[in-house]
Amino acid sequence: MAMEKRIAKSRIEEALTWRYAVKKFDSGKDLSHEQMNSILAALQLTPTSMGLQLMKFIVIKDEKLKEACVPLAYNQRQVADCSHLLVLCRVDEVREEHITSYVEQTAIIRGLKVPSRQLDGFESMLRSTLKMSREQQVKWMDNQVYLALGNLLTACAVEGIDACPMEGFMPDKVNELLGLTEKGLQSVILCPIGFRSKEDKYASFPKVRRDSTELIEYL
Ligand SMILES: Cc1cc2nc3c(=O)[nH]c(=O)nc-3n(C[C@H](O)[C@H](O)[C@H](O)COP(=O)(O)O)c2cc1C
């Protein structure tokens, strides 16, 4: 059925219409442990290419650290006024240990013997990623961090939690502040989460989206 012919909104459509990129968070409102756990589960369960999860999610609660991120995000206050600031990172490059630890974990969780033919084939497929150029690796890994962002935003919407995806920041400076480079990580996107302020006028702005007839094509 074409989208425009439906009358009632589905639960997911309601949630995705309710959400918006928050410009002003209520700095007095924090996420509960349960809410935090649910959001972190959405990040952890994000599917990735071959399942490698070449990423890390940094959770910043420390008020001073969040405040220090404001100038690094071109003075966007969301990074400080939110309940938690999430920094979605990728690893700097694919390494041997990423492959071996993943193969070992798969063997343990799925009860497979090592070496096994099943895992040999799997491992050689994983190893092909080591041969990618640096540029290819970065693009490939960044794409997957964005997938985690999509999951995060949808999970937040469904749980009634506010968020603001943010590319407007200086990754090198954030890496430096958080000591990410030494940990073999690169920040890709910031996502403050929390609750919208009553004063955020953006909450009442009607959504601007291309019409489904323009955006979706049936063949
Ligand atoms: C990858 C990405 C980066 C974004 N960066 C910023 C940002 O730095 N600051 C900001 O206020 N909004 C940012 N946004 C929010 C978008 O402007 C917003 O999602 C878009 O205009 C659609 O509006 P809505 O999310 O409120 O429905 C970003 C969104 C995405 C998906």
Side-chain angles (χ1 to χ4, degrees), residues 8-213:
K9 275 187 184 170
S10 68
R11 201 173 140 237
I12 198 81
E13 205 178 335
E14 287 280 3
L16 294 177
T17 307
W18 170 83
R19 71 145 294 282
Y20 73 104
V22 170
K23 303 293 177 223
K24 192 170 167 51
F25 281 95
D26 182 339
S27 57
K29 274 196 192 167
D30 277 354
L31 264 73
S32 67
H33 281 299
E34 290 73 26
Q35 286 171 319
M36 224 22 226
N37 286 342
S38 156
I39 292 311
L40 297 179
L43 287 175
Q44 192 196 2
L45 289 167
T46 293
T48 56
S49 178
M50 294 184 248
L52 269 164
Q53 292 181 291
L54 298 165
M55 52 187 70
K56 190 130 186 163
F57 309 114
I58 313 279
V59 182
I60 308 181
K61 184 63 197 141
D62 184 85
E63 295 301 325
K64 278 191 191 142
L65 208 45
K66 286 196 292 175
E67 201 61 51
C69 288
V70 175
L72 313 186
Y74 304 103
N75 295 323
Q76 298 187 85
R77 288 280 327 158
Q78 296 100 310
V79 296
D81 295 338
C82 61
S83 166
H84 294 74
L85 173 60
L86 305 180
V87 184
L88 277 55
C89 305
R90 62 165 169 83
V91 301
D92 52 3
E93 61 179 348
V94 190
R95 294 179 208 282
E96 180 78 29
E97 76 231 33
H98 296 132
I99 312 286
T100 49
S101 61
Y102 178 46
V103 172
E104 274 167 30
Q105 192 196 13
T106 305
I108 293 165
I109 292 178
R110 302 226 162 129
L112 300 167
K113 281 188 194 132
V114 182
S116 86
R117 248 203 216 160
Q118 212 178 330
L119 283 181
D120 281 352
F122 181 48
E123 187 164 347
S124 66
M125 185 179 77
L126 296 173
R127 281 188 182 284
S128 65
T129 62
L130 293 165
K131 295 187 194 120
M132 283 181 184
S133 70
R134 176 87 187 193
E135 227 174 42
Q136 284 172 321
Q137 281 191 355
V138 167
K139 185 174 182 293
W140 178 63
M141 291 190 288
D142 277 354
N143 286 344
Q144 291 161 75
V145 173
Y146 277 86
L147 206 55
L149 173 72
N151 239 12
L152 169 67
L153 294 176
T154 305
C156 281
V158 168
E159 296 285 348
I161 294 164
D162 284 303
C164 183
M166 289 174 63
E167 267 177 339
F169 73 102
M170 294 175 251
D172 290 347
K173 300 261 171 150
V174 168
N175 294 344
E176 196 184 326
L177 176 75
L178 305 178
L180 297 177
T181 313
E182 299 91 281
K183 293 180 185 167
L185 297 170
Q186 295 287 315
S187 55
V188 177
I189 192 138
L190 302 182
C191 193
I193 57 175
F195 298 99
R196 63 189 70 175
S197 159
K198 285 195 181 84
E199 291 158 22
D200 191 358
K201 59 181 193 301
Y202 285 81
S204 60
F205 286 1
K207 276 230 173 299
V208 180
R209 291 295 189 269
R210 291 188 198 281
D211 195 83
S212 63
T213 52

